[in-house]
Amino acid sequence: YAESHSAYCTAVEKRFRAAGLGERILERHRGPYQDFIPRHRYALILAIHSWYSFGYNAELLRRTMDALAPGGTFILTVTCAEDFFFRNAVKQQTFSAEELSQWAIEQGYENELHRLRMPVPASALVTDGALTEDAKGTIAFLMGRLWHKIPAAERQDIEQRFMAAADRGGFERVYGLLHFRKPGQVNG
């Protein structure tokens, strides 16, 4: 795995060891993914909500595909254009799953886009008439800014949209899973 946050590295390794899978970690890179140079080829590479900071990076996509073994799979997840957060809060994200999928195809990397729909109840958003800390944290993560660093007027606008969704009982998250396959046969 490649991870720039040491706390996440520690947590991943702890979970793998607890599941009896510690020996399955072939490589560790504690630093930016852009600096990772794999020594192995992989049957599966996952980028779960981590591609936001890379955007339309053709070189990084090529390097990721090159790290796959023949027949290997690369799964990349980002939000879809119809996602509640994407439409109502994430003004800084410059692409949706649909746009990234199309861009990758234009770069020569065929992929299948699958949508995962998840209802989110109002209680996950709002408690006692205010956004929950989890809601603020998710918004901040997707916007790439700490909640308190978002301008007050923008925070108020976001809060009003979320309150309206809470009044309707909740909302729907829609994630895009871009599924890339490297030609060839998987060994083993």
Side-chain angles (χ1 to χ4, degrees):
Y1 65 87
E3 176 58 61
S4 60
H5 302 286
S6 63
Y8 292 150
C9 291
T10 301
V12 165
E13 290 185 20
K14 184 177 180 181
R15 286 184 181 154
F16 267 68
R17 282 193 305 275
L21 300 171
E23 72 284 350
R24 296 263 180 136
I25 300 174
L26 299 177
E27 291 187 75
R28 294 166 178 82
H29 175 74
R30 292 185 182 207
Y33 180 65
Q34 300 92 313
D35 298 339
F36 177 56
I37 300 171
R39 296 175 306 208
H40 301 277
R41 296 291 171 250
Y42 296 95
L44 176 63
I45 297 175
L46 303 172
I48 308 301
H49 293 290
S50 60
W51 207 267
Y52 299 109
S53 61
F54 306 139
Y56 299 115
N57 188 325
E59 173 64 15
L60 198 55
L61 180 56
R62 181 195 61 76
R63 286 180 44 211
T64 301
M65 295 301 292
D66 287 349
L68 288 172
T73 297
F74 172 41
I75 302 289
L76 184 159
T77 66
V78 293
T79 55
C80 287
E82 63 188 292
D83 178 74
F84 179 84
F85 277 79
F86 189 86
R87 289 182 291 114
N88 290 285
V90 187
K91 295 176 180 160
Q92 300 304 313
Q93 185 177 324
T94 58
F95 58 87
S96 66
E98 296 85 355
E99 293 165 333
L100 190 61
S101 174
Q102 184 58 44
W103 171 82
I105 290 168
E106 291 167 4
Q107 301 302 305
Y109 297 101
E110 291 297 318
N111 65 84
E112 297 172 16
L113 173 60
H114 304 275
R115 287 174 179 79
L116 173 63
R117 297 177 180 282
M118 296 176 51
V120 178
S123 61
L125 293 174
V126 177
T127 302
D128 299 325
L131 284 180
T132 64
E133 290 305 311
D134 283 345
K136 290 177 185 178
T138 301
I139 294 164
F141 170 77
L142 292 172
M143 293 184 77
R145 297 184 274 172
L146 297 173
W147 176 254
H148 69 277
K149 298 276 186 177
I150 299 169
E154 193 172 349
R155 280 196 318 259
Q156 184 177 12
D157 181 52
I158 291 168
E159 287 174 333
Q160 288 175 348
R161 291 184 215 179
F162 277 69
M163 296 299 179
D167 289 345
R168 293 188 302 273
F171 65 94
E172 182 178 62
R173 295 296 321 259
V174 185
Y175 301 116
L177 289 77
L178 282 67
H179 183 188
F180 299 84
R181 288 190 186 99
K182 187 168 188 173
Q185 294 294 321
V186 175
N187 294 330

